[in-house]
Amino acid sequence: MRDGAPPPCDAVAAAFRAHPRSAFLRPAERAQAAYDGPLPIGCGQTNSQPRTVEAMLRLLEPAPGMRVLDVGAGSGWTTALLAHLVGPSGAVHGVELEPELVRFGSANLAATDQPWASIVAAEPGVLGLPQLAPFDRILVSAEPEVLPQTLVEQLGEGGVMVIPVAGVMLRVRRRGMHIERSEHGFYAFVPLR
């Protein structure tokens, strides 16, 4: 794996090639971009393991034209990858709690020239961006102990959320009032606050 890019030739692989991990790391960590593990980005947060990001994007299945919420945008890498996958007919709304990372991630994202994507500061005590809901897809890169109902409610009809909950990666799909859940392996993330 070169610079965190998956080998197969498909939309996710193309997004990884277009937006290498190194561009979303601090200068001190850039030489380690190919390392398949989390790397620090400041404020006690990390840039996730490339293999984990790839697995989450494949579970999420974002497509052109979709509206996506990226919770825990951090360095802006997942926001940029999602923006590539939904294209200019879509929209990606990244949200991040740490002000320093909002600035860092926004600057990294701006360098990708994808104006249909942005990162904003999370409102304390509010998960996601309920005022912009519903979303077709929600990606969560931080771990709650239980599935947050407030995020489920931000999914549109047929919408999908990928989220690590209590160490297990969940794929959640909303169908009317019914929620389908499936489990996809064990992962460790920073806590969702």
Side-chain angles (χ1 to χ4, degrees), residues 69 71 94-99 102 119-132 154 192-193:
L69 174 63
V71 178
V95 64
E96 171 57 50
L97 189 59
E98 297 290 344
V102 173
I119 299 172
V120 299
E123 185 179 327
V126 177
L127 280 180
L129 294 170
Q131 69 276 19
L132 297 179
Q154 292 175 51
L192 180 65
R193 299 182 288 138

Side-chain angles (χ1 to χ4, degrees), residues 4-184:
C9 185
D10 58 21
V12 171
F16 271 71
R17 283 193 302 276
H19 306 289
R21 185 188 197 195
S22 56
F24 299 87
L25 297 172
R26 299 178 301 183
E29 281 76 41
R30 286 186 187 146
Q32 298 175 307
Y35 168 62
D36 193 26
L39 291 171
I41 56 172
C43 304
Q45 307 299 308
T46 62
N47 177 285
S48 295
Q49 178 179 17
R51 188 173 20 163
T52 300
V53 173
E54 179 189 1
M56 292 176 79
L57 292 176
R58 292 189 187 285
L59 285 171
L60 193 66
E61 297 178 331
M66 288 185 171
R67 295 184 73 245
V68 181
L69 174 63
D70 185 20
V71 178
S75 70
W77 189 36
T78 54
T79 311
L81 293 169
L82 288 163
H84 185 93
L85 291 163
V86 303
S89 62
V92 181
H93 301 276
V95 64
E96 171 57 50
L97 189 59
E98 297 290 344
E100 182 182 320
L101 293 182
V102 173
R103 290 187 292 276
F104 179 61
S106 293
N108 293 337
L109 181 62
T112 71
D113 193 26
Q114 299 180 104
W116 55 94
S118 62
I119 299 172
V120 299
E123 185 179 327
V126 177
L127 280 180
L129 294 170
Q131 69 276 19
L132 297 179
F135 297 98
D136 301 304
R137 298 290 187 268
I138 299 176
L139 181 72
V140 183
S141 298
E143 183 177 332
E145 285 301 311
V146 297
L147 182 64
Q149 186 60 31
T150 56
L151 287 179
V152 173
E153 290 168 359
Q154 292 175 51
L155 279 173
E157 173 60 29
V160 172
M161 175 168 53
V162 173
I163 178 172
V165 176
V168 177
M169 190 65 69
L170 297 182
R171 184 177 194 270
V172 178
R173 180 180 290 272
R174 183 176 191 166
R175 297 207 187 270
M177 298 305 291
H178 182 68
I179 302 300
E180 300 170 357
R181 295 169 43 147
S182 56
E183 297 183 357
H184 300 272

